[in-house]
Amino acid sequence: SQQGEEDPQALSIQEGENATMNCSYKTSINNLQWYRQNSGRGLVHLILIRSNEREKHSGRLRVTLDTSKKSSSLLITASRAADTASYFCATAGNNRKLIWGLGTSLAVNP
Amino acid sequence: ETGVTQSPTHLIKTRGQQVTLRCSSQSGHNTVSWYQQALGQGPQFIFQYYREEENGRGNFPPRFSGLQFPNYSSELNVNALELDDSALYLCASSLVNTEAFFGQGTRLTVV
């Protein structure tokens, strides 16, 4: 079953613009992770935010977590054509399993 | 490169056959998870192995089974293949509750 729900399902922007994707989940978590997937191949870990953290940065990525609303957002600043991919959030609880959303498909147009 | 390798990369099988997919985990990682990803969907958790023991299972029938070896590499076996089993199968290795490192996946097509 899916835990996370990403919003929007698809996003198309111009190079240089910012891209924001949201993720909502249902149960309590230890951490929330964002991954990227190119062309249906393996997923690449982007960033992990723990349940006691509210914001985290990594390069052009900024992730926020609001545990009261059970939601997270991923912001990609100054997007590039190479950022075109699908982005997934995954939540980790006490049972060590990662539970995934359906993903947001991002297209960055040159 | 994540250090996680899966084999084969592509596979075509006939309905009713059996298949074994393999995964070698990143050095030092004792946890391996398997996922099924249908086209246009997010990964669905199949099961996880921790130090050679199954440590959780998703909503998959018993014909999906697995193994983890002492070197922490792993196999996913699927018996009596059905057309709906066609998907990308992903293996991920990790330590407990840390980020997962994925292989490139095995694309299984059942005809």
Side-chain angles (χ1 to χ4, degrees):
Chain A
S1 61
Q2 304 290 145
Q3 155 99 306
E5 294 182 6
E6 283 95 336
D7 167 53
Q9 289 189 331
L11 181 60
S12 181
I13 59 174
Q14 295 300 121
E15 216 166 16
E17 293 180 339
N18 295 342
T20 299
M21 290 160 264
N22 302 298
C23 169
S24 60
Y25 58 92
K26 296 173 184 172
T27 61
S28 61
I29 62 172
N30 284 328
N31 63 68
L32 185 145
Q33 304 175 31
W34 284 91
Y35 289 80
R36 166 197 167 120
Q37 186 176 38
N38 284 57
S39 302
R41 301 305 289 175
L43 291 100
V44 175
H45 178 262
L46 295 175
I47 199 164
L48 180 154
I49 186 164
R50 301 190 191 286
S51 59
N52 62 352
E53 297 177 309
R54 292 297 166 258
E55 188 170 312
K56 205 159 183 180
H57 296 254
S58 177
R60 292 184 296 113
L61 304 180
R62 173 177 168 255
V63 168
T64 61
L65 179 64
D66 186 336
T67 53
S68 67
K69 295 180 180 177
K70 291 188 168 58
S71 67
S72 173
S73 67
L74 169 67
L75 168 67
I76 304 174
T77 60
S79 63
R80 305 167 182 168
D83 294 330
T84 296
S86 293
Y87 292 83
F88 294 89
C89 70
T91 54
N94 291 327
N95 58 9
R96 302 191 179 103
K97 291 183 286 189
L98 283 178
I99 303 178
W100 298 78
L102 295 175
T104 292
S105 177
L106 173 64
V108 181
N109 306 304
Chain B
E1 287 294 326
T2 64
V4 179
T5 57
Q6 291 185 244
S7 63
T9 55
H10 294 83
L11 196 55
I12 300 175
K13 303 289 279 187
T14 302
R15 189 171 49 182
Q17 286 187 315
Q18 177 267 342
V19 68
T20 297
L21 310 182
R22 295 181 174 83
C23 172
S24 64
S25 57
Q26 189 173 82
S27 177
H29 285 178
N30 53 23
T31 301
V32 172
S33 303
W34 285 92
Y35 297 86
Q36 180 195 66
Q37 187 179 24
L39 204 60
Q41 301 290 315
Q44 294 281 341
F45 175 73
I46 303 175
F47 43 56
Q48 182 183 84
Y49 280 84
Y50 172 67
R51 293 186 175 178
E52 302 178 61
E53 301 270 336
E54 188 178 289
N55 182 45
R57 189 179 180 93
N59 294 325
F60 282 81
R63 58 189 185 85
F64 285 77
S65 63
L67 280 175
Q68 188 180 31
F69 300 100
N71 66 356
Y72 300 138
S73 66
S74 178
E75 286 183 356
L76 164 66
N77 299 291
V78 187
N79 294 323
L81 283 166
E82 301 176 359
L83 297 179
D84 285 349
D85 296 333
S86 295
L88 180 68
Y89 287 85
L90 294 163
C91 161
S93 77
S94 67
L95 296 171
V96 175
N97 268 343
T98 62
E99 62 264 37
F101 293 85
F102 282 81
Q104 288 300 299
T106 294
R107 174 74 63 189
L108 172 65
T109 302
V110 182
V111 298

